[in-house]
Amino acid sequence: MTDIITDAEEAGFANDRTQSNTLGEAARAYVNRVRGGDMGALPAILGLLVLFIVFGLANDRFLSALNMANLITQAGAIIVLAMGLVMVLLLGDIDLSAGVTGGASAAVMGLAIADHDLPWGVAVLGALVTGAVIGLVIGLIVAKVGIPSFVVTLAFFLGLQGLLLKLIGDGGSVRVDQEVIKGITKNNVPPTWGWVLAVVVIVVYALLALRSHRLKVSKGLQHQPLAVVVAQIVALAVILLVVTYVLNLNRAPNAGFVIEGIPYVLPLVIALLIAWTMVLGRTAYGRHVYAVGGNPEAARRAGINVDRIRISVFMFGSSMAALSGVIAASNLGKVSTSSGGGNTLLYAVGAAVIGGTSLFGGKGKARDAVIGGLVIATIANGLGLLDQASYINFIVTGGVLLLAASVDAISRRRRSATGL
Amino acid sequence: MSTSPLLELRGINKSFGVVHVLHDVDLAIYPGQVTALVGDNGAGKSTLVKAVAGIYPLDSGEYRFDGKPVEVHGPKDASALGIEVVYQDLALCENLDIVENMFLGREMKTGPVLDETSMESKAREVLASLSVRTVKSVRQSVSSLSGGQRQTVAIAKAALWNSKIVLLDEPTAALGVAQTRQVLDLVRRLADSGVGVLLISHNLTDVFEVADRITALYLGRVAADVATKDVTSRQVVELITTGTSSDLDGAAAPSATA
């Protein structure tokens, strides 16, 4: 922190800038922010573009509609798990048990359907409650006993694998045959409804963004230039329409069959993205989560119940893990003793960090999970198409994670140096 | 004094175990005035501030607010009376912006959703009323602010809640010359707006510049409670270091008439 106040800063508030007037100025301000270390989602988006270009050139099947649909169903479970982890990471905590929490919760769902013939809704609710209870216990231990979350969740990582073994039995697995559960990843939204959904999302987003912009201008508050708002709307519209178009193509490998439409998992992910973006960005609860992650002592003095925030965040994180376990079970068609183990958790942490969530707490958004999850899934998918040995997959993913964590650490240093 | 004190402590005693920290301390804070609380390390300044803020319960003594005796059992009671404390470590969240910090824990809402426009307008209003001109934008994050700017935000945050009394713990301790200037100006403007300010400080230059009254603590007792214009810097140093000042008659038995 510099003690020198420049003239420009000194002049400051008197003519407090409420906007950068032109698109050019806004772009320059953005470049300055990025150079100052506030990168946001930029590295991940650029990385995703590079991956798409490289894999697209290396294998002509990569960009096919069939593979894009595969990519989305593969990314679904990672993204949902990563969304839960973003919340935990926002507090500066970690949940190493999130993957196996998903596995254990999915096992509860699978057994409820297979052994007890319960309706799918009840079974999924059971999985979510399982996740929430696990999160509650972890949160209570971390907040009230004061053990670092790293250690607590490492213990749960081991313990829950034992629970999973007990539930399913050695080496066995539970088949997930229920139509609706399987349908999350296997069935598709009818193409017409896909278009309707895409257009509705675009129109609602555009109306909200324009209304908020008008309100800010009329009250003389800080706002972006209209051109930037419009550019954001157009970018969203283009992405959604292109994705909808590609997924609405017939992607059946054999003539005579028709497979078309958006896999149901995509609208599910978008709904979760909107919900968490609203909760974190627009509610007092979300604001308090950021505050606790930034400075717990300041949050406490501001009258925020820090323990309650921490416990609730672990509950939300584990519930999202449970949902992710359900999606993974849908994609795999079964829950096995290794569900949620292996690299599941590390992929999700990697996704959150690659997307721009800081490991140091206080910085991150729900969209980080989506962008980072797509990067991770793209690496696995693309290398799979190139028939690479699986060791390459591990090495590349590890390298990307390391790169993302370095970007986080270095940009953090630059931020404190430039004071952005 | 022309007006009656807004907050008055009479005969306050506070012990921690066998250590008797505050002995029959009287303290008065007047609206629209800056009262400086001076004293050496260990004189009991921090304990007194925490007693006012409701963090420490009093062993004995009377807590009067607006002329009426009140019971203050915790920080919540104190802030309900309109007493805000700005601690030395500022308790701001670096990852949040100025508006977010000013409203932290007391966010304005429409339904379940944060009312960002009202909060930004209100923050702007308060900063403008205190003539704060040192921040570029109310939407920049606190991590980008200098020490003086952070102090400014912390003080403005205390002023935001129509507070009647603001306690400032060493607000200029870590600041450079220009920033100290800004913060002292801000303290003055805060008092001029009718708030009763208690300024804890080691720096007598600051005290003489901005304070209307000086209360000196010496080993847990009030050594003097005097108007700034009636004393010299040398006398205050004597009060702080020895508890008495030879040429300051009668001031050592202060507030007998209060």
Side-chain angles (χ1 to χ4, degrees):
Chain A
M1 222 27 61
T2 167
D3 267 355
I4 301 158
I5 299 180
T6 64
D7 286 347
E9 273 173 331
E10 193 83 61
F13 194 80
N15 49 353
D16 173 27
R17 307 281 308 261
T18 49
Q19 77 154 349
S20 24
N21 289 310
T22 66
L23 201 55
E25 269 182 53
R28 257 198 309 284
Y30 182 71
V31 170
N32 278 339
R33 274 219 319 274
V34 168
R35 285 174 51 162
D38 185 8
M39 310 258 242
L42 187 67
I45 291 174
L46 290 181
L48 197 58
L49 275 177
V50 170
L51 286 172
F52 264 66
I53 291 168
V54 169
F55 287 132
L57 290 176
N59 188 309
D60 48 4
R61 275 183 303 154
F62 178 76
L63 288 173
S64 70
L66 179 63
N67 192 51
M68 286 299 110
N70 275 343
L71 179 63
I72 283 168
T73 51
Q74 288 160 359
I78 300 176
I79 289 174
V80 173
L81 187 57
M83 274 188 202
L85 280 164
V86 165
M87 306 231 2
V88 177
L89 290 172
L90 272 180
L91 293 188
D93 282 316
I94 183 86
D95 185 355
L96 296 176
S97 66
V100 289
T101 299
S105 305
V108 168
M109 172 202 70
L111 291 172
I113 294 173
D115 290 4
H116 302 281
D117 286 324
L118 290 171
W120 68 271
V122 177
V124 170
L125 192 65
L128 290 178
V129 169
T130 307
V133 169
I134 293 170
L136 173 67
V137 177
I138 294 174
L140 278 172
I141 297 175
V142 172
K144 300 292 184 190
V145 185
I147 308 174
S149 55
F150 179 85
V151 179
V152 176
T153 57
L154 186 60
F156 271 78
F157 172 70
L158 297 171
L160 287 173
Q161 289 186 60
L163 177 70
L164 188 57
L165 270 178
K166 178 78 182 70
L167 283 176
I168 294 181
D170 275 330
S173 65
V174 182
R175 278 176 58 80
V176 176
D177 243 348
Q178 209 283 333
E179 217 24 67
V180 177
I181 305 288
K182 270 200 320 194
I184 299 173
T185 52
K186 301 276 189 278
N187 292 348
N188 303 307
V189 180
T192 322
W193 281 107
W195 285 115
V196 170
L197 214 56
V199 171
V200 166
V201 169
I202 293 166
V203 169
V204 169
Y205 176 80
L207 287 178
L208 288 178
L210 290 173
R211 191 176 137 248
S212 136
H213 181 262
R214 255 222 324 263
L215 191 67
K216 283 179 183 167
V217 172
S218 70
K219 297 238 171 150
L221 302 179
Q222 187 157 340
H223 58 270
Q224 293 172 308
L226 185 62
V228 171
V229 177
V230 171
Q232 283 169 345
I233 295 170
V234 170
L236 177 86
V238 168
I239 292 172
L240 277 185
L241 292 177
V242 166
V243 168
T244 309
Y245 171 76
V246 169
L247 293 174
N248 276 347
L249 293 173
N250 180 10
R251 55 180 179 266
N254 309 317
F257 287 98
V258 176
I259 304 177
E260 58 184 9
I262 301 166
Y264 278 104
V265 67
L266 182 59
L268 177 64
V269 165
I270 291 176
L272 289 169
L273 172 66
I274 294 171
W276 283 118
T277 303
M278 296 301 276
V279 168
L280 288 175
R282 297 285 168 84
T283 66
Y285 175 77
R287 180 70 37 88
H288 294 173
V289 170
Y290 282 101
V292 172
N295 185 344
E297 178 57 22
R300 195 184 61 75
R301 286 193 200 159
I304 296 168
N305 188 332
V306 174
D307 284 355
R308 196 182 299 166
I309 295 281
R310 182 154 279 137
I311 293 167
S312 66
V313 161
F314 273 104
M315 287 179 73
F316 283 130
S318 296
S319 304
M320 291 295 282
L323 194 54
S324 150
V326 171
I327 295 170
S330 158
N331 201 18
L332 220 61
K334 62 174 185 180
V335 183
S336 74
T337 49
S338 61
S339 285
N343 51 20
T344 312
L345 182 270
L346 297 180
Y347 271 12
V349 174
V353 174
I354 289 168
T357 296
S358 173
L359 288 166
F360 304 100
K363 180 172 158 282
K365 292 190 163 126
R367 64 148 200 241
D368 297 351
V370 177
I371 300 168
L374 282 173
V375 169
I376 296 270
T378 302
I379 294 171
N381 176 294
L383 289 175
L385 282 181
L386 297 179
D387 286 327
Q388 294 295 344
S390 58
Y391 79 90
I392 300 267
N393 191 350
F394 278 105
I395 293 174
V396 171
T397 313
V400 170
L401 173 57
L402 204 54
L403 196 68
S406 318
V407 168
D408 176 27
I410 292 168
S411 69
R412 185 181 149 88
R413 227 176 30 222
R414 282 190 83 143
R415 270 204 307 282
S416 59
T418 53
L420 253 169
Chain B
M1 248 350 98
S2 52
T3 48
S4 55
L6 190 54
L7 178 131
E8 200 179 5
L9 301 184
R10 286 187 192 162
I12 297 296
N13 281 284
K14 176 68 192 170
S15 303
F16 294 103
V18 295
V19 186
H20 199 159
V21 182
L22 298 177
H23 296 266
D24 296 325
V25 168
D26 297 333
L27 177 73
I29 301 174
Y30 295 87
Q33 294 200 5
V34 178
T35 305
L37 184 63
V38 297
D40 212 347
N41 290 339
K45 300 190 299 289
S46 302
T47 309
L48 185 55
V49 168
K50 285 181 176 158
V52 174
I55 294 169
Y56 292 153
L58 303 173
D59 293 346
S60 67
E62 202 180 355
Y63 194 121
R64 295 175 75 89
F65 192 84
D66 231 352
K68 289 179 285 289
V70 288
E71 298 277 323
V72 174
H73 294 295
K76 285 232 160 74
D77 294 346
S79 57
L81 289 173
I83 299 173
E84 293 284 326
V85 190
V86 179
Y87 292 99
Q88 212 167 352
D89 48 339
L90 299 166
L92 298 174
C93 290
E94 294 204 358
N95 57 334
L96 301 183
D97 66 31
I98 293 174
V99 178
E100 290 169 346
N101 264 293
M102 285 176 70
F103 282 87
L104 189 60
R106 296 186 259 199
E107 290 84 0
M108 297 163 82
K109 284 177 272 193
T110 42
V113 180
L114 293 174
D115 186 355
E116 295 286 356
T117 45
S118 301
M119 286 196 278
E120 191 176 325
S121 307
K122 186 90 187 294
R124 217 173 264 277
E125 215 173 89
V126 169
L127 287 167
S129 76
L130 293 171
S131 306
V132 173
R133 297 179 195 287
T134 57
V135 289
K136 242 187 300 187
S137 146
V138 291
R139 284 295 180 188
Q140 71 188 119
S141 86
V142 166
S143 64
S144 71
L145 300 180
S146 69
Q149 291 172 323
R150 287 176 197 218
Q151 191 63 253
T152 303
V153 171
I155 295 173
K157 179 183 179 181
L160 180 64
W161 301 101
N162 293 324
S163 32
K164 301 200 170 86
I165 291 193
V166 174
L167 312 177
L168 300 165
D169 190 4
E170 302 262 3
T172 57
L175 301 185
V177 177
Q179 297 183 337
T180 300
R181 172 84 266 133
Q182 289 162 9
V183 169
L184 290 181
D185 287 348
L186 180 58
V187 169
R188 193 62 252 175
R189 279 194 294 272
L190 193 60
D192 290 345
S193 71
V195 175
V197 178
L198 183 71
L199 173 78
I200 295 99
S201 184
H202 265 117
N203 188 327
L204 290 186
T205 322
D206 292 358
V207 168
F208 272 91
E209 191 171 328
V210 79
D212 301 297
R213 300 186 61 78
I214 298 177
T215 300
L217 279 182
Y218 178 73
L219 298 180
R221 294 171 202 277
V222 175
D225 179 7
V226 292
T228 310
K229 59 177 172 14
D230 297 339
V231 287
T232 64
S233 179
R234 189 183 54 78
Q235 288 171 322
V236 175
V237 171
E238 268 180 20
L239 288 168
I240 291 172
T241 51
T242 66
T244 54
S245 177
S246 46
D247 43 354
L248 194 67
D249 299 324
S255 60
T257 54

